[in-house]
Amino acid sequence: MRRPVLLVVAHGSRDPRHAATVHDLVRRVRAQRPGLRVETGFLDFNVPSVGAVLESLDAEGVRDVVALPLLLTRAFHAKADIPAVLSEAPPRLRIRQAEVLGPSPLLVAALERRLYEAGLTPADKSSTGVVLASAGSSDPEAIAVIADVAREWRHTGWCAVRPAFASASLPRTEDAVRELRELGCARVAVAPYVLAPGRLPDRIARGAAEADVLADVLGPSPEVAQVLLERYDAARTPLLTALGA
């Protein structure tokens, strides 16, 4: 039996860097899992839409799909938008929605990779405060997850780690930077906990103006690609079991 198609469901953005980064990430996923068919659909702004991809797969005779939200937390898009779009798919398609990417130790490893690429070294950890800067959400569950990630990451040796948000929640990045300065950290770094460039990541960057180090977005890092494959594998197993495979 063929493996289910992996449909990566991205939010979409008017910023062309967003779609370009998503496609780079998907290419890395394909490289890490040769033979797996991976498609990309967008909820808004970019093409193809999720619905158009599902219609195309149905027309080809595909029957099994794992739809994977390209999201770091379970907020509104994962709980409402994506299920609503999937519910309108052709009825012959068997679709299973995978879990969102976060939290995951691999994502923390990707955050550290970006900080080291921006100039820090492991020897800097004990004297460096880190702002874990996410897009933000009005969903309390999503905010709690970011706070938990920051708390757990602090235990790996950083001077301190503080969460911050570009929208919907507080504190803002610039406020967390100042808090870490006042705490006495020798240097302050901002680690964007976002997958691709866009309006909110740009806001994070502006808020990092007084920081010593600003890391890049997670983007198409190998750790993120590996998380996608882990979520796919976890979702496809019960799907295949139900089919008797």
Side-chain angles (χ1 to χ4, degrees), residues 27 32 39-41 52 54 61-62 72 77 82 89 105 109 111 116 130 147 149 176 202 216 226:
R27 280 191 287 271
Q32 290 187 202
E39 300 292 340
T40 308
L54 292 172
V62 171
L72 295 173
H77 295 304
I82 293 175
L111 287 166
Y116 297 150
V130 178
V149 171
D202 284 348
D216 199 358
Q226 185 59 41

Coordinates of all heavy atoms in Angstrom, one line a residue, residues 27 32 39-41 52 54 61-62 72 77 82 89 105 109 111 116 130 147 149 176 202 216 226:
R27 N 11.3 21.2 0.4 CA 12.3 20.5 -0.3 C 13.3 19.7 0.6 O 13.7 18.6 0.3 CB 13.1 21.6 -1.2 CG 12.4 22.0 -2.5 CD 13.3 22.8 -3.4 NE 13.5 24.1 -2.8 CZ 12.7 25.1 -3.2 NH1 11.7 25.0 -4.0 NH2 13.0 26.3 -2.7
Q32 N 15.1 14.5 3.0 CA 15.3 13.6 4.1 C 14.4 12.3 4.0 O 14.8 11.4 4.7 CB 15.0 14.4 5.4 CG 16.0 15.4 5.7 CD 15.8 16.1 7.1 OE1 16.2 17.2 7.3 NE2 15.1 15.4 8.0
E39 N 3.2 17.6 -0.6 CA 2.6 18.7 -1.3 C 2.4 19.8 -0.3 O 2.5 19.6 0.9 CB 1.2 18.3 -1.9 CG 1.2 17.2 -2.9 CD 1.9 17.5 -4.2 OE1 2.0 18.8 -4.5 OE2 2.3 16.6 -4.9
T40 N 2.2 21.0 -0.9 CA 2.1 22.2 0.0 C 0.8 23.0 -0.4 O 0.5 23.2 -1.6 CB 3.3 23.2 -0.2 OG1 4.5 22.5 0.0 CG2 3.2 24.3 0.8
G41 N 0.0 23.3 0.6 CA -1.2 24.1 0.4 C -1.2 25.3 1.4 O -0.7 25.2 2.5
A52 N -7.6 23.4 -3.2 CA -7.2 23.1 -4.6 C -6.3 21.9 -4.6 O -6.4 21.0 -5.5 CB -6.5 24.3 -5.2
L54 N -6.2 19.4 -2.4 CA -7.0 18.2 -2.1 C -7.8 17.8 -3.3 O -8.0 16.6 -3.6 CB -7.9 18.5 -0.9 CG -7.1 18.7 0.4 CD1 -8.1 19.1 1.5 CD2 -6.4 17.4 0.8
G61 N -6.6 10.2 -8.0 CA -6.9 8.9 -7.4 C -6.2 8.6 -6.1 O -6.3 7.5 -5.5
V62 N -5.6 9.6 -5.5 CA -5.0 9.5 -4.2 C -6.2 9.4 -3.2 O -7.2 10.0 -3.3 CB -4.2 10.8 -3.8 CG1 -3.8 10.8 -2.3 CG2 -3.0 10.8 -4.7
L72 N 3.6 26.2 15.1 CA 4.4 25.8 16.3 C 3.5 25.6 17.5 O 4.0 24.9 18.5 CB 5.4 26.9 16.6 CG 6.4 27.1 15.5 CD1 7.3 28.3 15.8 CD2 7.3 25.9 15.4
H77 N -5.8 28.5 14.3 CA -5.7 27.9 12.9 C -5.7 26.4 13.0 O -6.3 25.7 12.2 CB -4.4 28.3 12.3 CG -4.3 29.8 12.0 ND1 -5.3 30.4 11.2 CD2 -3.5 30.8 12.3 CE1 -5.0 31.7 11.1 NE2 -3.9 32.0 11.8
I82 N -8.0 25.0 10.0 CA -7.6 23.8 9.2 C -8.7 22.7 9.2 O -9.0 22.2 8.2 CB -6.2 23.3 9.7 CG1 -5.2 24.4 9.4 CG2 -5.9 22.0 9.1 CD1 -3.8 24.1 9.9
A89 N -13.1 18.7 2.0 CA -12.4 18.0 1.0 C -13.3 16.9 0.3 O -14.3 16.6 0.8 CB -11.2 17.2 1.7
P105 N 12.0 19.0 21.4 CA 13.4 19.2 21.7 C 14.1 19.6 20.4 O 15.1 20.3 20.4 CB 13.9 17.9 22.3 CG 12.7 17.2 22.8 CD 11.6 17.6 21.9
A109 N 16.7 22.7 19.6 CA 18.0 22.5 19.0 C 18.1 23.5 17.8 O 19.2 24.0 17.6 CB 18.2 21.1 18.6
L111 N 16.6 26.4 17.5 CA 16.8 27.7 18.0 C 18.2 28.0 18.4 O 18.8 29.0 18.1 CB 15.9 27.9 19.3 CG 14.4 28.0 19.0 CD1 13.6 27.8 20.4 CD2 14.0 29.4 18.4
Y116 N 23.8 30.2 17.4 CA 25.2 30.0 17.2 C 25.6 30.6 15.8 O 26.7 31.1 15.6 CB 25.6 28.6 17.3 CG 25.4 28.0 18.7 CD1 25.0 26.7 18.9 CD2 25.5 28.9 19.8 CE1 24.9 26.2 20.2 CE2 25.3 28.4 21.1 CZ 25.0 27.0 21.3 OH 24.8 26.6 22.6
V130 N 18.2 35.1 26.9 CA 17.6 34.8 25.6 C 16.1 35.2 25.7 O 15.4 34.9 26.6 CB 17.7 33.4 25.2 CG1 17.0 33.2 23.8 CG2 19.2 33.0 25.1
A147 N 5.5 29.7 27.2 CA 6.1 29.9 28.5 C 6.8 28.6 29.0 O 7.9 28.7 29.6 CB 5.0 30.3 29.5
V149 N 8.2 26.3 27.1 CA 9.4 26.1 26.3 C 10.5 27.0 26.9 O 11.6 26.5 27.0 CB 9.1 26.4 24.8 CG1 10.4 26.4 24.0 CG2 8.2 25.4 24.2
A176 N 11.1 42.4 27.0 CA 11.9 41.3 27.5 C 13.4 41.5 27.4 O 14.1 41.1 28.3 CB 11.5 40.0 26.7
D202 N 9.2 40.5 11.4 CA 9.9 41.9 11.2 C 9.6 42.7 12.5 O 10.5 43.5 12.9 CB 9.3 42.6 10.0 CG 9.8 42.0 8.7 OD1 10.8 41.3 8.7 OD2 9.3 42.4 7.6
D216 N 18.2 34.3 13.2 CA 17.3 34.1 12.1 C 16.1 33.3 12.5 O 16.1 32.6 13.5 CB 18.0 33.5 10.9 CG 17.3 33.7 9.6 OD1 16.3 34.4 9.6 OD2 17.8 33.3 8.6
Q226 N 12.9 17.4 10.3 CA 12.8 16.1 11.1 C 11.5 16.1 11.9 O 10.8 15.1 12.0 CB 14.0 15.9 11.9 CG 14.0 14.6 12.7 CD 14.0 13.4 11.7 OE1 14.6 13.4 10.6 NE2 13.2 12.4 12.0

